[in-house]
């Protein structure tokens, strides 16, 4: 008898849960964020500054070019 | 007030505050140099004087904000009556929170708005970044509960749009800033304004409406920040902070507002933003290199405020706006965890401070934030340099010249060092005393239980913060050291609840501080015993740190630290409690546990 009731209760619970999950899915669809995009351009924060080594390399290259008369 | 006059006032206030702070710092450094060099100048005396300059400047700068706030404070303007013609999204970002409690806050704010008949102008969007799938499923169950509670089915069944939205990101890219940005990139064009909240935020309907009206009235206003009052604290530590925030912060915020002008602050929540301004100027890039200095910008709010100002928008804090609430940490450990995050975020601003086109004041704000976390290191260095100077001081030479007949006694400059110490103490206490006097004169003190109860709260808070300060100093020093060594603190979820700690928890958080306390006493005893009396107020709290951490987490009850919100509970907080009670007693969502929902 108890076992039958437990099985019945479990069945009722499973059915309720299935109903709830179905309804939840429908609500989640209705509650999805509205589709109205606003573009957000990425802001400039870091300016690429040449390192000391890069500056030195550029200077050497420039000197080389000048020395070769280009 | 005209724009030119307002700008002139702001510039004058800034100039006065900086000049006085630098002057006091320089004066203290000069006095300390005379004291230190009385037995002959050494390099360490110069170092000590420099450290006195920086630390005194920093304290004086805080005091000047209070004084500027007292001078600038005026009667709050009358609420605007203009009709609301705009649409606002109320954004509730959630990250591993208790969904029942958070969604009850949404319902309470909705009630406040509905009472004003303004429902059609506001939507709520719950923006979940919860990474735990089980908690995420719980959120969905509670959202169904909220949906039913707010009768959304009745709206959608007759073809109306819902007013409650829920979205969960399975990857929390960019953390809170990324969460908000994702909302604008999906749905921003639907709204004129967005009210950004935290999961623990609550705002009165009338405050939200006033924010919108002020924003409508000023087309160049990009962001309007409220001063959230800390509420709901239950522990000694939490209630002391809640009292201090309620009693002192409005004056300090008024001072900040007077100095910042239109390059004001954004504290990340309880603020209204203009969607177009924010979308056009606040998409944050990832910084190059690895965390903690690279990667996503942690303390995004300061950066967003600076970017808005760079783009020509006004950013303003209106401390006169009441009805804006948040919760604070309940114990020192939670405070230190939050501070660790803020520390990393502020130090990361080293990478942002040189961004092109920023207003000078925005750069100064970044500098302030960095200094606020580095200042404890200066105090530590000051302590260490004094121990070193005393330990290495030359023996007093009463006969400096050969064949001298009478001894020469060194001039006693101790009074100058004592004067500096008294001055430093004065900079800490004087603004608070002024605020108490001002509150008594203006009648604000009644909301805190009257002059005597407020005075008692003030003295107790002063004693507590004096005991807590050395312990906090250790945590801050550790946090700064970790960041400088490249350790990323991550993004832990906030701890909610009454915050009560066991002695074991307190000990495991504070044992290493005890060791430092014992070491400081031992080193002082060995090398500079005559400094012991000066060192004890710092070292004793360190030695008993676990006890302090534990004791301050114990419950506290009014009247001590009474705040206006405890004196008379604001309607939105009462509504939140009522709704939580109703939801706890009603049938819980089929999958969700309801145990945590107790009013």
């Amino acid at each position: 008898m108890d076992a039958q009731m437990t099985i019945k209760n479990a069945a009722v619970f499973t059915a309720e849960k299935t109903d709830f999950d179905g309804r939840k899915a429908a609500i989640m669809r209705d509650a999805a964020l509205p589709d109205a995009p606003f573009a957000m351009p990425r802001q400039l924060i870091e300016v690429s500054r040449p390192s000391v080594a890069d500056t030195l390399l550029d200077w050497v290259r420039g000197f080389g070019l000048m020395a070769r008369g280009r | 007030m005209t724009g030119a006059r307002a700008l002139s006032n702001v510039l004058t206030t800034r100039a006065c505050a900086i000049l006085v702070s630098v002057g006091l710092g320089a004066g203290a450094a000069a006095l300390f140099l005379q004291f230190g060099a009385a037995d002959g100048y050494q390099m360490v005396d110069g170092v000590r004087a420099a450290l006195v300059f920086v630390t005194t400047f920093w304290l004086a700068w805080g005091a000047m904000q209070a004084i500027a706030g007292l001078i600038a404070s005026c009667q709050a303007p009358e609420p605007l009556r203009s009709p609301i013609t705009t649409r606002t999204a109320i954004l509730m970002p959630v990250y591993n929170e208790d969904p029942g409690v958070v969604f009850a806050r949404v319902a309470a704010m909705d009630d406040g708005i509905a009472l004003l008949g303004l429902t059609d102008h506001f939507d709520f969007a719950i923006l979940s970044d919860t990474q735990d799938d089980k908690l995420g499923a719980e959120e969905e169950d509670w959202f169904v509960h909220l949906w039913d509670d707010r009768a959304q089915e009745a709206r959608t069944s007759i073809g109306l749009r819902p007013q409650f939205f829920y979205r969960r990101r399975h990857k929390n890219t960019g953390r809170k800033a990324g969460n908000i940005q994702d909302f604008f990139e999906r749905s921003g064009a639907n709204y004129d304004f967005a009210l950004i909240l935290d999961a623990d935020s609550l705002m009165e309907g009338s405050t939200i409406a006033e924010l919108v009206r002020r924003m409508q009235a000023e087309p160049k206003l990009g962001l309007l920040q409220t001063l959230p009052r800390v509420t709901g604290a239950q522990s000694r530590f939490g209630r002391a902070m809640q009292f201090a925030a309620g009693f002192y912060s409005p004056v300090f915020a008024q001072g900040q507002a007077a100095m910042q002008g239109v390059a004001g602050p954004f504290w990340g929540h309880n603020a209204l933003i203009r969607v177009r301004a924010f979308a056009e100027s606040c998409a944050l890039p990832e910084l190059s290199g690895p965390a903690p200095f690279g990667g996503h910008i942690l303390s995004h709010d300061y950066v967003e405020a600076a970017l808005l100002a760079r783009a020509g928008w006004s950013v303003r804090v209106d401390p006169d706006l009441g009805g804006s609430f948040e919760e604070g940490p309940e114990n020192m450990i939670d405070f230190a965890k939050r501070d660790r995050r803020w520390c990393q975020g502020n130090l990361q601003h080293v990478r942002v401070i040189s961004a092109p086109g920023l207003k000078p004041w925005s750069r100064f704000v970044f500098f302030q934030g960095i200094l606020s976390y580095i200042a404890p290191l200066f105090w530590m260095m000051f302590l260490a340099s004094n121990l070193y100077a005393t330990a290495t001081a030359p023996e007093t030479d009463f006969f400096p010249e050969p064949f001298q007949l009478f001894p020469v006694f060194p001039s006693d400059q101790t009074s100058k060092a004592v004067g500096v110490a008294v001055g430093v103490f004065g900079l800490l206490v004087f603004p608070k005393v002024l605020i108490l006097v001002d509150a008594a004169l203006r009648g604000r003190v009644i909301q805190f239980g009257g002059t005597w109860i407020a005075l008692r709260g003030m003295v107790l808070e002063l004693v507590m913060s004096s005991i807590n300060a050395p312990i906090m100093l250790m945590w801050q020093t550790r946090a700064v050291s970790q960041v400088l060594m490249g350790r990323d603190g991550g993004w832990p979820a906030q701890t909610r609840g009454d915050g009560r700690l066991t002695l074991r928890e307190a000990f495991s958080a504070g044992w290493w501080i005890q060791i430092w306390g014992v070491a400081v006493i031992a080193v002082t005893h060995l090398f500079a015993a005559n400094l012991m009396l000066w060192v004890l107020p710092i070292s004793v709290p360190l030695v008993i740190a676990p006890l302090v951490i534990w004791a301050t987490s114990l419950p506290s009850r009014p009247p001590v630290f009474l705040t206006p919100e405890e004196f008379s509970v604001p309607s939105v907080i009462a509504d939140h409690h009522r709704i939580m009670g109703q939801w706890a007693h009603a049938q819980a969502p089929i999958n969700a546990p309801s145990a945590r929902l107790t009013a």
Side-chain angles (χ1 to χ4, degrees):
Chain A
M1 182 72 180
D2 281 355
Q4 271 183 347
M5 279 185 72
T6 310
I7 292 165
K8 196 177 167 191
N9 284 346
V12 168
F13 177 78
T14 309
E16 276 182 4
K17 191 173 180 319
T18 310
D19 283 353
F20 179 80
D21 286 345
R23 192 163 164 264
K24 184 167 90 172
I27 289 173
M28 286 299 146
R29 273 195 301 277
D30 284 346
L33 291 178
D35 190 26
F38 207 134
M40 288 185 75
R42 190 81 49 184
Q43 297 301 304
L44 181 69
I45 286 184
E46 285 182 292
V47 182
S48 56
R49 291 195 178 89
S51 65
V52 175
D54 289 340
T55 312
L56 210 63
L57 202 64
D58 283 351
W59 185 79
V60 170
R61 276 193 194 126
F63 183 79
L65 290 172
M66 197 175 66
R68 280 175 285 167
R70 296 185 189 177
Chain B
M1 197 185 294
T2 63
R5 174 100 186 273
L7 181 64
S8 160
N9 282 352
V10 167
L11 293 178
T12 310
T13 313
R14 284 178 192 175
C16 288
I18 289 177
L19 276 176
V20 172
S21 305
V22 169
L24 286 173
L31 279 177
F32 206 84
L33 192 61
Q34 288 174 30
F35 157 74
D39 55 356
Y41 178 79
Q42 292 168 297
M43 178 69 91
V44 71
D45 298 320
V47 171
R48 284 195 295 175
L51 290 168
V52 165
F53 171 76
V54 176
T55 48
T56 311
F57 164 79
W58 185 237
L59 288 176
W61 178 247
M64 287 313 295
Q65 283 187 9
I67 290 166
L70 288 170
I71 294 168
S73 61
C74 52
Q75 200 71 30
E78 282 291 306
L80 297 174
R81 303 268 174 235
S82 50
I84 288 180
T85 55
T86 46
R87 288 182 49 72
T88 300
I90 300 178
L91 308 182
M92 178 67 97
V94 182
Y95 176 63
N96 295 343
E97 298 280 349
D98 181 340
V101 177
V102 174
F103 294 3
R105 288 194 182 99
V106 170
M109 286 185 275
D110 180 50
D111 278 353
I113 290 168
L115 211 61
L116 299 171
L118 296 171
T119 307
D120 289 343
H121 298 281
F122 295 92
D123 287 345
F124 286 87
I126 293 162
L127 306 176
S128 172
D129 259 359
T130 296
Q131 299 300 292
D132 178 340
D133 285 339
K134 194 163 163 282
L135 200 53
E138 238 181 80
E139 279 177 8
E140 290 186 354
D141 293 344
W142 276 109
F143 184 77
V144 171
H145 195 72
L146 177 72
W147 183 270
D148 291 340
D149 190 71
R150 301 288 111 184
Q152 291 301 290
E153 201 117 328
R155 285 182 66 88
T156 52
S157 64
I158 56 169
L160 290 175
R161 285 180 325 97
Q163 289 176 303
F164 291 80
F165 299 95
Y166 175 88
R167 184 273 282 129
R168 182 170 161 231
R169 293 197 305 169
H170 292 275
K171 193 162 179 243
N172 62 334
T173 311
R175 299 186 177 111
K176 188 177 172 185
N179 194 359
I180 302 286
Q181 183 176 336
D182 178 80
F183 171 81
F184 289 134
E185 287 178 338
R186 281 179 192 225
S187 312
N190 255 6
Y191 302 98
D192 302 286
F193 309 138
L195 181 67
I196 299 186
L197 302 172
D198 248 357
D200 61 0
S201 297
L202 267 175
M203 288 180 82
E204 297 280 7
S206 55
T207 306
I208 296 171
E210 178 67 11
L211 274 171
V212 169
R213 288 192 174 106
R214 289 188 187 186
M215 189 73 99
Q216 281 183 176
E218 290 191 48
K220 285 305 289 175
L221 189 56
L223 188 149
L224 185 52
Q225 174 71 57
T226 64
L227 176 65
R229 302 286 283 255
V230 180
T231 59
Q234 298 167 49
S235 67
R236 291 172 179 169
F237 178 79
R239 292 196 63 249
M241 271 190 60
Q242 179 176 276
F243 169 79
F247 199 63
Y248 306 127
S249 292
V251 178
F252 280 92
Q254 192 75 51
Q256 270 189 9
M259 285 190 210
Q260 289 169 331
V262 293
F266 177 31
W267 296 321
H269 55 91
N270 294 41
L272 189 71
I273 58 172
R274 189 178 297 275
V275 171
R276 187 167 74 83
F278 200 83
E280 283 174 0
S281 47
C282 291
L284 300 179
E286 255 188 72
L287 297 177
S288 58
F293 287 101
H296 292 292
I297 295 176
L298 271 187
S299 288
H300 57 92
D301 39 13
Y302 277 36
V303 182
E304 286 156 351
L307 293 179
L308 280 169
R310 176 172 82 171
W313 296 98
S314 298
V315 179
R316 205 175 75 198
V317 56
D318 279 1
D320 65 284
L321 280 168
S324 173
F325 309 101
E326 64 170 335
E327 290 179 1
E330 286 280 16
N331 58 54
M332 293 174 75
I333 297 176
D334 288 340
F335 182 91
K337 279 184 195 164
R338 187 182 74 174
D339 212 43
R340 170 66 176 81
R341 212 175 64 227
W342 286 2
C343 172
Q344 185 170 331
N346 276 275
L347 295 185
Q348 195 189 32
H349 290 162
V350 165
R351 300 283 307 281
V352 181
I353 204 166
S354 59
L358 292 185
K359 292 204 181 297
W361 186 257
S362 300
R363 296 189 204 279
F364 183 71
V365 169
F366 289 132
F367 169 73
Q368 270 191 99
I370 295 164
L371 189 59
S372 69
Y373 282 92
I374 291 184
L377 292 188
F378 292 133
W379 282 110
M380 297 286 271
M381 286 157 66
F382 179 64
L383 179 69
S385 62
N386 274 304
L387 289 175
Y388 173 80
T390 309
T392 59
E395 287 288 315
T396 308
D397 185 1
F398 294 101
F399 298 95
E401 302 295 330
F403 314 113
Q404 188 177 318
L405 191 56
F406 297 105
V408 175
F409 292 98
S411 76
D412 185 12
Q413 302 282 352
T414 312
S415 61
K416 288 178 178 165
V418 174
V420 171
V422 171
V424 164
F425 184 73
L427 284 175
L428 284 168
V429 177
F430 184 59
K432 294 184 174 181
V433 174
L434 279 184
I435 291 171
L436 176 71
V437 171
D438 177 76
L441 291 175
R442 289 176 197 263
R444 191 168 72 93
V445 83
I446 294 166
Q447 301 170 323
F448 293 84
T451 307
W452 288 112
I453 292 180
L455 178 65
R456 195 171 73 155
M458 192 182 121
V459 172
L460 267 177
E461 192 271 331
L462 195 67
V463 171
M464 264 182 82
S465 56
S466 304
I467 295 170
N468 296 349
I471 301 168
M472 298 291 190
L473 187 89
M474 295 303 293
W475 267 320
Q476 277 197 337
T477 306
R478 186 173 72 168
V480 173
S481 313
Q482 284 176 345
V483 175
L484 293 180
M485 285 189 294
R487 273 179 61 181
D488 180 15
W491 192 258
Q494 304 238 31
T495 313
R496 314 277 184 213
D498 68 2
R500 189 169 181 163
L501 297 169
T502 61
L503 257 175
R504 180 189 290 269
E505 287 168 326
F507 181 77
S508 70
W511 62 269
W512 64 275
I513 299 175
Q514 278 188 298
I515 293 176
W516 274 100
V518 171
V520 168
I521 290 177
V523 168
T524 309
H525 178 69
L526 283 175
F527 300 107
N530 55 342
L531 281 187
M532 189 59 88
L533 269 180
W534 290 87
V535 166
L536 283 179
I538 299 163
S539 53
V540 169
L542 298 184
V543 172
I544 60 167
L547 267 180
V548 174
I549 295 166
W550 168 75
T552 51
S553 79
L554 297 179
S556 157
R557 299 269 173 272
V560 67
F561 298 138
L562 185 75
T563 57
E565 291 73 28
E566 291 174 329
F567 191 68
S568 161
V569 179
S571 59
V572 72
I573 295 176
D575 282 345
H576 181 228
H577 290 165
R578 174 182 56 76
I579 292 166
M580 280 204 298
Q582 285 169 354
W583 288 8
H585 291 112
Q587 193 182 0
I590 199 154
N591 298 324
S594 60
R596 282 168 291 179
L597 264 190
T598 45

